[in-house]
Amino acid sequence: MDKIEGDTFVDIYLIGSLNSLNIRVDHRDKKSINIIQKKIGIKLPSAQKAIERNSLTLCWVSNDEYLLLSEKKEDESLLNEFKKEMNLTTGVAENTTDLRVWFLIKGDRAQDLLRKGVPIDLSEQKVSERNFLRTRLGEIQINILFKPLNEILVSVLRSQKDYMIEWFEICAKRGTEINF
């Protein structure tokens, strides 16, 4: 994990890749649902939520799409086995690990940093721990996973990594905080 340096009001780290599977499932297909619940031990989250268990996080993306994340290298064989089983059903699991790069924003003002660029209301009454949002920052698509509210994971497409680093360096400088 590499820290993005500078005189910032939050700590920002470039994590790099997280093991991830994009999962598509028809909710009428009980076999696919059972594989998700039994193999990874997580029920499907509701809209804009994420559920974490045993170092795996299942995030709601849309009514038929989920993102499964793992921060541990040891989970790779479990994810490969899960992918094989899902692809034998009407559901689909695709490895998306290499498509995105992840950042961790830490600090009491972590939400303030994102408020500078996202078009959604990130006030505490709208956003809570374990929310997962897919939105835009400027002109690029980002994913946001709120762990605790002062630890936020953000992902962008790998090709947009340099843009995101530059944006963080500029918008996180001390003196540029948003005061609410």
Side-chain angles (χ1 to χ4, degrees):
M1 199 166 37
D2 298 323
K3 185 171 183 184
I4 296 176
E5 295 299 327
D7 183 25
T8 64
F9 61 92
V10 293
D11 293 323
I12 305 167
Y13 302 91
L14 172 61
I15 295 174
S17 296
L18 287 181
N19 286 326
S20 64
L21 291 178
N22 190 47
I23 302 166
R24 291 213 176 244
V25 63
D26 181 347
H27 287 270
R28 296 171 294 190
D29 178 11
K30 299 303 180 202
K31 184 176 181 184
S32 295
I33 302 297
N34 285 337
I35 289 172
I36 294 170
Q37 292 176 351
K38 288 180 181 172
K39 199 70 174 173
I40 63 174
I42 301 175
K43 291 184 179 182
L44 296 177
S46 58
Q48 297 185 336
K49 294 290 183 186
I51 299 173
E52 183 177 350
R53 174 172 283 139
N54 300 328
S55 77
L56 297 172
T57 304
L58 187 61
C59 308
W60 181 93
V61 175
S62 71
N63 289 335
D64 67 348
E65 185 178 359
Y66 300 87
L67 183 64
L68 179 60
L69 302 172
S70 170
E71 296 182 44
K72 291 187 175 181
K73 189 75 171 161
E74 305 85 60
D75 291 333
E76 199 169 318
S77 63
L78 172 69
L79 295 178
N80 287 333
E81 189 178 318
F82 170 77
K83 178 183 168 189
K84 285 178 189 174
E85 285 187 38
M86 275 300 288
N87 290 341
L88 294 174
T89 70
T90 61
V92 129
E94 178 183 22
N95 188 328
T96 55
T97 300
D98 294 333
L99 293 178
R100 305 189 76 76
V101 63
W102 290 82
F103 297 88
L104 175 63
I105 308 167
K106 291 176 94 172
D108 292 336
R109 306 298 300 268
Q111 285 187 52
D112 291 346
L113 176 63
L114 290 178
R115 284 185 179 113
K116 292 181 176 189
V118 299
I120 57 176
D121 183 1
L122 294 178
S123 63
E124 287 187 31
Q125 56 270 24
K126 299 273 185 190
V127 175
S128 63
E129 188 173 316
R130 296 286 165 235
N131 270 137
F132 179 81
L133 308 170
R134 191 170 264 190
T135 186
R136 302 196 76 66
L137 186 138
E139 294 299 318
I140 64 171
Q141 187 267 328
I142 66 171
N143 293 326
I144 304 171
L145 174 61
F146 293 88
K147 290 175 111 16
L149 292 178
N150 63 349
E151 282 188 27
I152 303 170
L153 283 172
V154 173
S155 78
V156 297
L157 292 173
R158 186 167 298 285
S159 63
Q160 297 165 333
K161 174 181 124 182
D162 292 338
Y163 170 84
M164 198 71 219
I165 290 171
E166 188 175 319
W167 189 89
F168 281 139
E169 289 172 343
I170 292 168
C171 292
K173 286 182 182 175
R174 290 199 182 280
T176 66
E177 300 95 333
I178 296 175
N179 295 313
F180 290 94

